Amino acid sequence: MARIDFAFGAADRLRAACEVVRKHYQAGHPVVVYSRDMPLLERFDQMLWGVAATAFVPHVFADDPLAAQTPVLLTSAPPTARPDAWLLNLDADCPAGCEQFERVLEIVSQDEEETLAARERWKQYKAQGHELHAHDISARAARPAKP
């Protein structure tokens, strides 16, 4: 089973997710970003290009010819594990096949609807036997992002 980390209290879910992906990329850790919502993934793709003035996060969609060489993949199809990659779930539901990943990251904003959806995912992950961890990032959400 996977370790599932929920980061609750983000001021902006996608911005926080960009920051998480940037940090993982800089640490040399690959990430698969999943959501069935293609417009959301396209918005996230655009945000990654401008995550910080001095940062570059190489990323492509999973069906791109460069996917095998790119550390950050975006996919709206059921995610498949890559060696050492973590899964960042931006979908409203638990991703099918998440147990293939060592770790799944969930970013949750302060939005009530998003929080309720995250609670449902928590229950589903727990019922599946995953190891769950919660992190309150609301204090960090109040601070401006570092360039």
Side-chain angles (χ1 to χ4, degrees), residues 2-145:
R3 173 182 166 139
I4 316 290
D5 286 278
F6 277 83
F8 288 96
D12 180 322
R13 182 181 190 208
L14 290 184
R15 189 153 313 284
C18 282
E19 191 59 29
V20 165
V21 168
R22 181 186 68 82
K23 287 179 181 177
H24 282 280
Y25 166 68
Q26 288 177 336
H29 200 269
V31 179
V32 175
V33 181
Y34 168 73
S35 177
R36 290 174 297 170
D37 183 345
M38 196 60 177
L40 180 136
L41 278 179
E42 289 168 347
R43 193 165 66 245
F44 188 71
D45 171 45
Q46 290 302 307
M47 290 177 75
L48 278 175
W49 286 109
V51 71
T54 59
F56 173 66
V57 178
H59 64 283
V60 295
F61 283 88
D63 59 355
D64 189 281
L66 297 174
Q69 302 117 279
T70 307
V72 178
L73 293 184
L74 310 179
T75 184
S76 61
T80 55
R82 300 173 64 176
D84 301 321
W86 288 4
L87 175 63
L88 172 61
N89 182 35
L90 294 179
D91 200 64
D93 297 316
C94 295
C98 67
E99 66 280 349
Q100 353 167 26
F101 290 85
E102 173 187 338
R103 206 151 174 190
V104 177
L105 309 171
E106 293 271 356
I107 311 287
V108 184
S109 77
Q110 298 167 359
D111 176 75
E112 185 176 343
E113 188 175 311
E114 229 177 81
T115 302
L116 292 173
R119 287 181 184 149
E120 287 304 310
R121 289 193 305 277
W122 178 282
K123 290 176 191 174
Q124 290 174 19
Y125 286 132
K126 186 173 183 170
Q128 294 170 0
H130 296 288
E131 178 186 343
L132 300 173
H133 297 267
H135 310 277
D136 182 358
I137 62 169
S138 58
R140 279 188 267 167
R143 291 184 293 205

